Amino acid sequence: MKVLRPRSADEALRLFSENPLALPFSGGTDLMVAWNMGSLNGKPVLDLSAIREWIGIRKMPGGLAVGALTTHAELRDHPEIRRNFPLLAAACAAVGSVQIQNRGTLGGNIANASPAGDTFPALAVYEARVRTISRHGRRNIPFLHMFAGVKKTALNQTELIEAVELPFLHAKPARQVFRKVGTRAAQAISKTVAAGLVWLEKGGAIKEFRFALGSMAPTVRRLAAAEAFLKGRTPSSSAIETAAGLLTKDVHPIDDFRSTAEYRLEVSRNILRSFLGT
Ligand SMILES: Cc1cc2nc3c(=O)[nH]c(=O)nc-3n(C[C@H](O)[C@H](O)[C@H](O)COP(=O)(O)OP(=O)(O)OC[C@H]3O[C@@H](n4cnc5c(N)ncnc54)[C@H](O)[C@@H]3O)c2cc1C
């Protein structure tokens, strides 16, 4: 197998343009499975792991920039991520197992575009932006626009993910939740995975509500209908019940070998109910 090993972003872009069929390779936790199954079709591999400028978490104006090669373990343990973006830290702690967290990267998780990507609901409620780079320049893509379908991203053939930008929240949320529901505590692909944030007015009415679900549609979804319905309302049991009923406006789970659509919907509704209930 031909392996290209750039030492810098510039070199990576040059090698990628000379080898347009090359497969970007970060931690390899998804790609090695594909390799074992013989589905890489002899394509060259562009091993990004030596690009130091894409590793780690840096301050940027108004937020943090997470290099694409930052591992789930670094995100899980990083004090600034735990303080400002705890749902992302919790999501990274729920990916696979410690071994997978030590190698798997945020950029690889996003580019793999699984409907069950565990970091996605947190990135959706934090309104992250994905910074891409190619020989033609950079793009800043709102997180929800990154996905075009199951295993399909909005990346064009010349683009690589360089970083993920996380804007600081405007205020501390009153409550927040991350929940992954799988068959086991580790090495389980999510049946449903949720992240939510809520801000309340002084009188208790909902000022802003953000809630996202993974594994419930071909791509991660924000619950736009429930979010709009709850804005300005007191989270009474009838309001929560109506919001739970609105889930199917935005998510359409399927039956598969991991779960049924009915189970996924009921568990997701229960997560929303217990998050908003007192
Ligand atoms: C046993 C096991 C358990 C797992 N459990 C979970 C889980 O619980 N939750 C979960 O979400 N995932 C899970 N995964 C999937 C995987 O670990 C994650 O998606 C991980 O974050 C992938 O990152 P990576 O760096 O290893 O990606 P890689 O395998 O290196 O690459 C994945 C894909 O992204 C592309 N790519 C990589 N980096 C870039 C880049 N910078 N720009 C553009 N394209 C790029 C590659 O070409 C490839 O298509 C599991 C995998 C295994 C093997």
Side-chain angles (χ1 to χ4, degrees), residues 24 26-31 72 96 100 105 108-109 111 118 161 180 187:
S26 291
T29 59
D30 280 310
L31 279 180
H72 297 294
I100 295 292
T105 65
N109 197 223
D118 279 327
I161 298 175
K180 168 174 176 166
Q187 302 290 38

Side-chain angles (χ1 to χ4, degrees), residues 117-132:
D118 279 327
T119 61
F120 300 175
L123 293 171
V125 295
Y126 287 136
E127 302 189 338
R129 300 176 75 86
V130 179
R131 197 162 75 220
T132 68

Side-chain angles (χ1 to χ4, degrees), residues 30 72 91-92 94-96 108-110 112-123 143 147 149-152 178-182 187-194 213-221 254 256-259 264:
D30 280 310
H72 297 294
C92 292
V95 169
N109 197 223
I110 295 169
N112 193 49
S114 157
D118 279 327
T119 61
F120 300 175
L123 293 171
F143 187 68
F147 305 106
V150 175
K151 298 260 176 187
K152 290 200 184 82
F178 170 81
R179 280 293 298 279
K180 168 174 176 166
V181 178
Q187 302 290 38
I189 295 179
S190 294
K191 296 170 195 270
T192 182
V193 52
L213 288 170
S215 274
M216 295 287 289
T219 62
V220 62
R221 293 286 156 83
I254 54 166
D256 65 12
F257 64 96
R258 245 171 253 127
S259 189
R264 289 183 152 115

